[in-house]
Amino acid sequence: MAVYNFRSIEPKWQKIWLEQKANVTPADSDRPKFFALEMFPYPSGQVHVGHLRNYSMGDVVARFKRSKGYDVLHPMGWDAFGLPAENAAIQRGVHPKTWTFSNIKTMREDLQSIGFFYDWDREVATCHPGYYKHQQQLFLDFYKAGLVYQKESMVNWDPVEETVLANEQVIDGRGWRSGALVEKKALRQWFLNITAFAEDLLEDLSLLDQWPQKVVLMQENWIGRSEGARIQFKRTDDADATIEVFTTRPDTLYGASFLAVAPNHPLALRQSHTLPQLAEFIREAGQTSTSQETLDTQEKKGCFTGLYVEHPLIKGETLPVYAANFALMDYGTGALYGCPGHDQRDFEFAQKYNLPILTVVYPSADQPYDAVKEGKPWLEDGVIVNSDFLSGLPVVEAKKKIIQWLVDNQLGYKETTYRLRDWGVSRQRYWGCPIPMVYCDDCGVVPVESAALPVILPEDVEFKGGNPLERHPMWKNTPCPKCGKPAKRETDTLDTFFDSSWYFLRFCNPFEDDKPFDLQAVQKWMPVDKYIGGIEHAILHLLYSRFFCKALRKTGHDKVPNEPFKALLTQGMVCHETYKNAKGEWVFPDEVDKTDTGTYILKADKSPVTVGRIEKMSKSKKNVIDVNQIIKTYGADAARFFLLSDTPPEKDMIWTDDGIEGAWRYLNRIWRLIEQFFETKTFNPSQASASEAFISTHKALLAINNVLEKDQFNVAIAQVRILSNVLFETNFAEISKHEAEFAIQSLLIMLGFFCPHLCEELWEFCQFEGYLWQQSWPHVDMTLIEQQSVRLAIQVNGKLRAQLDVPSDAPASQIETQALSLPEVQKYLSGGSPKKVIVVPNRVVNIVC
RNA sequence: GCGGGCGUGGUGGAAUUGGUAGACACACCAGACUUAGGAUCUGGCGACUCGCGUCAUGGGGGUUCAAGUCCCUCCGCCCGCACCA
């Protein structure tokens, strides 16, 4: 047998798997199903280490579940619309379609050269009309159900490129490519009514008990439910007019000393016509950036609007109305009432503008409080004071009572608001899914007929800034679906989050041409049993997908589950040391050599290299490694093994040369081990009792099963190594053929989840039956594990003093007697008898004296 | 500021969920084989005593027969959100 040559083994098995359709999803059976899914990638053209780590995890899960007797669905596809394709078109003159499909081809080959067990028959690309025609139908379904509407909304407008920029393309207020000052521009855009599902989305988070708690919490905060009241304040200048505010603290209404409206509140804008200083304030407020720093440090400022309102509870008292920079137009009603005694911002504002600071809540009845004296407002729970009929009530009770009063007097009502906003899905871009809507002068906004779908993205377009669809007369002009008169198409395309909000449903049956998804297949495969991807999608992608499922159920797709992802695993990033040359420029790890003394030099000219912090891999810091290079040097199996071996999946891991080399050395040892086994020609036909190798195999099977169920891939690998360490010591000639084969086969099955090519090759080499991928999880003989004698820890007063080997079924009384007779124990008893003896079966004996 | 998480050898990390802390590795050290080795194999590897022992899971306190694990408190680090009324 030759040495371990991954360069020939890996392509060999990849070819066999593809030819034999080893990874094709099984047809209907009565076996349980398992849908393993990794977040599909954007086809940038390169598989990076992050993908490799992510997809290696999914592959282990899929292969493991398959061996456990599940029908596994494990598909892969491409999140293929998006901005980078258009940038490539502008920079290099390649058509986005050409660029994208060529990238897909490269990446598909790359993924296949890593040996992932995907059902490639089910591959989807969101930029394919066969995919997006269904998406357009879903959009129309949503439209008919009233879940889609249009409204004016602000965008970042680059006046040089004549294009809309995403928030992340605006750097210090300027366009990332043009450097032009970005303007705010109002455009009429399409929105999905996700807020209608705010309560459902919040409530159903409690069903997601297999999601990281952290992600659930982030979504909870994002939805941001807050309970309070709407209150009408009557204006003094116009008996019929009111200002409506939202508050979570209606109980402190007696402490109100002013009203604040957002600078862009209609009332503020109207008043500014006659108040120049107000106009100036509004202008200034509109200019300040919304970056973290300014928000953090910005002083609370305001400007009197010239208006007053009546205090709803105190006859004859009025409150001034300010425009204030901390009031937000798009939260609540865009107006609030200020209670400086019990709100931090209101307190600062009142101090600045000399407004009254009243205390209406005491920490408790016998513990008075004065915000002015203390220098800070009282924000906690307490007892209401100085508030007429509310006085003496705890905060919670006071809230209920005041809301009832407001309702009785027709001045307000209970209200729940959410931070969550509706989802704007319009993008002023070419490379996206066309929105199937038509604008007709006579009929208004008219949806495209279902029969006319898909609205195909035209290919003959020019890229010279702006949206090419706007300049395409043929495509843009179309007869109105309703009246037939000349009309114009919607030239905006859909947000790519729309594409990725239902691809998992499509995977259930991507062969169905007539419908977006086959409800029977959806019923069979959904929900996704394990979804693996980056934490960066903790909010938007996951929230939108959850929303889609709920919305689809409202539009007739009642077999779609309420929640798409049963279990979520968010994997950590891959990090690497950073290097700089003598000039202080970043250099690639590839360009660096380590010397014998442990210092680093440049390969090119031997000049010294300084080693910087370990950081997440990024192109800008050049601390990236080339996946193809790694696979050429060490093989895909070694890379996959290393990526999962040391660090728990959800944590950031550090890529090191030592690590990948260690993995590679281990695989070579396994190769030699199997060789040694295979060369054993005679076994022991009369073996008396179970061998250590055999027992260790059963223990490993049990342990690995348990840890893989918990996604502890690193611990599973440690257990594989424990088993192989035993087998390295085993002389196979001394044990029976059956036990030796069982041990080797089990080892290959378990290690095969991580290193499938190597193990498949070794399986074949040993002339075992069938293929490795067809093997089911070996039967674990629990009696073999349990029959073992166990080593108990013998403690005296909680301190370890001795060890004792006993049969695992020994009665406690016998263990106690044996333990007490140990000389190490006698020493501490000094002749007396113990106060108490605790025997924990198979673990520990603690003697208290 | 609010919310959440974490803190274990030189390093990555285990610990059956309250039961022998440091599994499994990496690095390092010593030895063997070798023309050579950055290959392979063997052994060592928390600290102090280098003897039986004692101390060790960020610091301090508590609950318990028993605490890395539970509670309180302080310190440090990381992540998310944020003028949200």
Side-chain angles (χ1 to χ4, degrees), chain A residues 627-684:
Chain A
V627 169
N628 288 322
Q629 193 58 47
I630 290 297
I631 288 170
K632 269 185 212 147
T633 316
Y634 299 100
D637 281 340
R640 294 167 59 142
F641 184 87
F642 169 53
L643 279 167
L644 300 184
S645 65
D646 284 340
T647 310
E650 63 280 359
K651 286 191 71 176
D652 289 352
M653 73 160 295
I654 302 163
W655 181 280
T656 59
D657 287 349
D658 286 334
I660 181 71
E661 294 221 9
W664 189 76
R665 281 200 303 268
Y666 176 71
L667 299 193
N668 278 284
R669 284 187 83 186
I670 291 294
W671 183 271
R672 294 195 296 269
L673 172 72
I674 302 302
E675 205 168 23
Q676 196 188 328
F677 159 77
F678 187 71
E679 281 163 6
T680 308
K681 293 301 171 207
T682 53
F683 292 89
N684 182 354

Side-chain angles (χ1 to χ4, degrees), chain A residues 3 42 47 120 125 138 148 163 178 184-185 187 216 231 234 253 296 434 436 453 467 568 686:
Chain A
V3 291
Y42 178 78
V47 171
W120 285 107
L138 293 180
V148 173
T163 191
S178 69
K184 290 275 176 200
K185 194 170 164 179
L187 285 182
V216 172
I231 305 177
K234 286 184 177 146
L253 191 51
D296 274 345
L453 295 182
N467 183 352
L568 177 70
S686 53

Side-chain angles (χ1 to χ4, degrees), chain A residues 142 147 178 261 300 471 511 520 553 571 616 650:
Chain A
F142 286 170
L147 295 171
S178 69
V261 299
K300 313 272 170 288
R471 295 190 301 267
F511 315 108
Q520 214 181 330
R553 286 161 68 89
Q571 104 271 5
K616 75 167 188 174
E650 63 280 359

Side-chain angles (χ1 to χ4, degrees), chain A residues 101 194 253 290 464:
Chain A
F101 279 105
I194 188 172
L253 191 51
T290 46
K464 51 176 190 185

Side-chain angles (χ1 to χ4, degrees), chain A residues 448-676:
Chain A
V448 173
E449 300 277 328
S450 292
L453 295 182
V455 176
I456 299 225
L457 201 57
E459 290 178 28
D460 51 336
V461 288
E462 255 190 299
F463 295 93
K464 51 176 190 185
N467 183 352
L469 294 177
E470 298 251 26
R471 295 190 301 267
H472 193 297
M474 305 267 287
W475 183 82
K476 194 177 169 184
N477 292 316
T478 184
C480 169
K482 217 175 187 173
C483 69
K485 282 189 202 158
K488 293 204 187 320
R489 285 193 192 283
E490 170 65 81
T491 55
D492 285 353
T493 53
L494 287 172
D495 177 9
T496 56
F497 275 123
F498 201 109
D499 311 340
S500 56
S501 292
W502 67 284
Y503 76 110
F504 42 88
L505 297 170
R506 184 72 189 158
F507 273 144
C508 297
N509 181 359
F511 315 108
E512 172 64 66
D513 193 45
D514 295 339
K515 293 175 280 182
F517 38 82
D518 170 3
L519 288 182
Q520 214 181 330
V522 162
Q523 198 175 10
K524 166 162 181 161
W525 291 109
M526 288 296 290
V528 173
D529 293 280
K530 179 86 70 189
Y531 195 36
I532 310 178
I535 188 79
E536 66 273 20
H537 292 113
I539 297 176
L540 296 183
H541 164 59
L542 293 170
L543 190 69
Y544 292 153
S545 299
R546 296 181 60 222
F547 157 68
F548 249 65
C549 285
K550 293 173 198 304
L552 285 168
R553 286 161 68 89
K554 287 260 154 64
T555 56
H557 306 287
D558 59 335
K559 294 293 191 293
V560 171
N562 213 11
E563 286 293 335
F565 312 122
K566 192 171 163 201
L568 177 70
L569 174 61
T570 52
Q571 104 271 5
M573 289 175 302
V574 183
C575 305
H576 198 282
E577 267 182 342
T578 50
Y579 306 105
K580 277 181 179 178
N581 65 16
K583 287 185 210 151
E585 297 157 340
W586 302 107
V587 291
F588 288 105
D590 266 359
E591 305 175 273
V592 173
D593 250 344
K594 195 175 181 180
T595 64
D596 294 341
T597 51
T599 61
Y600 290 81
I601 54 165
L602 223 50
K603 278 179 188 166
D605 59 4
K606 312 279 177 226
S607 64
V609 165
T610 48
V611 179
R613 291 179 41 176
I614 293 167
E615 298 192 62
K616 75 167 188 174
M617 287 190 183
S618 75
K619 280 179 191 154
S620 62
K621 288 182 179 142
K622 294 195 176 178
N623 60 337
V624 288
I625 52 146
D626 178 358
V627 169
N628 288 322
Q629 193 58 47
I630 290 297
I631 288 170
K632 269 185 212 147
T633 316
Y634 299 100
D637 281 340
R640 294 167 59 142
F641 184 87
F642 169 53
L643 279 167
L644 300 184
S645 65
D646 284 340
T647 310
E650 63 280 359
K651 286 191 71 176
D652 289 352
M653 73 160 295
I654 302 163
W655 181 280
T656 59
D657 287 349
D658 286 334
I660 181 71
E661 294 221 9
W664 189 76
R665 281 200 303 268
Y666 176 71
L667 299 193
N668 278 284
R669 284 187 83 186
I670 291 294
W671 183 271
R672 294 195 296 269
L673 172 72
I674 302 302
E675 205 168 23
Q676 196 188 328

Side-chain angles (χ1 to χ4, degrees), chain A residues 205-257:
Chain A
L205 285 173
S206 65
L207 305 173
L208 304 176
D209 56 340
Q210 292 185 60
W211 281 38
Q213 195 197 349
K214 181 179 161 176
V215 176
V216 172
L217 202 83
M218 280 163 75
Q219 294 221 347
E220 201 177 300
N221 290 336
W222 187 261
I223 296 167
R225 180 191 150 103
S226 72
E227 250 179 74
R230 282 206 185 206
I231 305 177
Q232 311 286 339
F233 286 83
K234 286 184 177 146
R235 270 161 51 191
T236 55
D237 58 315
D238 178 350
D240 296 329
T242 59
I243 299 177
E244 192 176 40
V245 308
F246 174 73
T247 179
T248 55
R249 293 298 301 271
D251 54 303
T252 63
L253 191 51
Y254 274 99
S257 60

